[in-house]
Amino acid sequence: MQAERSSHPQPQPDPSAPEQAIFRHSFSADPLSVRAALHSTLARFVRQMTTDEAGALEIVLAEVFNNIVRHGYGNSGKGTITLALARDRRGLTCLVCDDGIELPERCLSGIGGDHPRPVPDTLPEGGFGWFLIRDLVEDLHYCRHDGRNELVFRLPLAPLALAQ
Amino acid sequence: MNLYAEALGGALVVYLQEERLDAAIAIRFKDRMREVTAQPSSRVVLDLSDVTFLDSSGLGAIVAVMKSLAPARQLELVGLTPTVEKVFRLTRMDTVFRIHPNVAAATSERLRDAG
């Protein structure tokens, strides 16, 4: 009966909404496993959102996963990524965990910091990932906990249309 | 990687017949583009109408191809599907590429003076 003392972020579904089933998925941190994970996640949620929202979900998750593969695990092809998703009235709350190296602070700092948004005219080949993530999600939080990275955010979605 | 090129209306049109241009194939895409664009033409038109998903690695690869062709040759894009278009719009990279609705529109157009 011990109360959970965890101080690290957990998905926080809207308390006014009926509890939704949580979708969980663990997969290997390599590009082809990322593809497969995106495919199964989209297949699970695509009927609960518009085509545009599904595109945003795929972009956000792809960028988060790619960052973990490339920077968290240094393209080693080793390591695991764990995803948990819960749908509520406000959107889709996402928790992504990995055991790679710590996420640098600058990834989470807002626009205008010392890591500016890439300028199109300079033809940047990278540096877009975190800007895409921050453009598309709300309530982005990161926590390092017992050698584990935990990233929580919500993809805002229009209220569930249950008519279909 | 399913990618092929043909000369059409003075342009080299490259068809990328993959559903995804992502981190899994970004490097191979750049390599294949280098091979097919060895064929001379002032304009290179990349048809993305089969591509339903592009991530920032895929976007970076397209930018790298554009830079490798410049300044003598232009890379133009055709047939952005909704999620691909969204990535170009959010990153504002839609402002640096000439984007056409389809290959016919791209190849019927005379090359304009970029200056």
Side-chain angles (χ1 to χ4, degrees):
Chain A
M1 301 298 281
Q2 188 178 358
E4 187 170 305
R5 290 179 300 150
S6 166
S7 61
H8 55 285
Q10 292 288 337
Q12 300 284 335
D14 183 344
S16 67
E19 192 172 322
Q20 300 287 323
I22 295 178
F23 171 85
R24 292 179 194 280
H25 191 49
S26 277
F27 53 97
S28 173
D30 64 78
L32 289 177
S33 301
V34 164
R35 270 192 179 184
L38 290 171
H39 183 82
S40 54
T41 304
L42 266 291
R44 168 68 177 74
F45 286 96
V46 72
R47 283 181 299 279
Q48 299 181 32
M49 55 183 73
T50 66
T51 309
D52 189 59
E53 290 169 341
L57 175 64
E58 188 161 18
I59 293 166
V60 166
L61 292 181
E63 298 302 331
V64 169
F65 298 162
N66 287 345
N67 279 320
I68 294 170
V69 170
R70 190 177 310 140
H71 303 296
Y73 291 118
N75 275 331
S76 64
K78 299 195 172 77
T80 300
I81 300 171
T82 302
L83 169 69
L85 299 176
R87 177 74 161 102
D88 61 38
R89 280 186 194 160
R90 296 161 71 191
L92 191 65
T93 298
C94 310
L95 168 68
V96 183
C97 300
D98 68 87
D99 302 302
I101 61 167
E102 190 168 0
L103 188 67
E105 174 67 32
R106 60 181 164 77
C107 295
L108 296 161
S109 59
I111 295 160
D114 58 356
H115 204 64
R117 180 182 279 271
V119 178
D121 288 344
T122 64
L123 300 180
E125 292 178 38
F128 297 115
W130 282 102
F131 289 95
L132 285 169
I133 295 165
R134 289 203 297 261
D135 281 346
L136 294 169
V137 309
E138 297 174 341
D139 293 345
L140 177 66
H141 297 287
Y142 168 75
C143 177
R144 179 82 174 174
H145 184 81
D146 285 343
R148 194 167 172 79
N149 296 312
E150 300 182 345
L151 191 71
V152 185
F153 51 87
R154 185 176 53 250
L155 183 76
L157 300 176
L160 277 175
L162 297 174
Q164 49 183 319
Chain B
M1 155 120 6
N2 291 311
L3 183 153
Y4 72 95
E6 65 174 347
L8 206 65
L12 182 70
V13 181
V14 182
Y15 302 89
L16 177 58
Q17 297 187 309
E18 294 281 341
E19 277 184 32
R20 310 176 69 84
L21 180 51
D22 61 8
I25 64 163
I27 291 172
R28 267 183 294 153
F29 168 75
K30 279 195 275 189
D31 291 343
R32 287 287 289 129
M33 285 298 289
R34 191 175 306 121
E35 290 167 23
V36 299
T37 57
Q39 186 174 336
S41 75
S42 60
R43 298 171 69 199
V44 176
V45 174
L46 176 61
D47 184 354
L48 294 169
S49 52
D50 286 339
V51 179
T52 57
F53 183 74
L54 171 88
D55 66 9
S56 63
S57 300
L59 177 65
I62 291 175
V63 174
V65 171
M66 184 200 214
K67 285 160 82 169
S68 74
L69 295 170
R73 308 168 75 193
Q74 279 192 43
L75 179 66
E76 302 171 31
L77 306 176
V78 153
L80 305 195
T81 60
T83 302
V84 174
E85 193 274 334
K86 192 181 188 73
V87 170
F88 272 88
R89 184 164 34 82
L90 287 169
T91 58
R92 301 177 184 48
M93 293 306 288
D94 56 348
T95 61
V96 298
F97 285 92
R98 295 190 63 200
I99 299 171
H100 309 272
N102 52 53
V103 170
T107 54
S108 65
E109 186 175 294
R110 300 296 295 262
L111 176 62
R112 286 187 204 147
D113 184 358

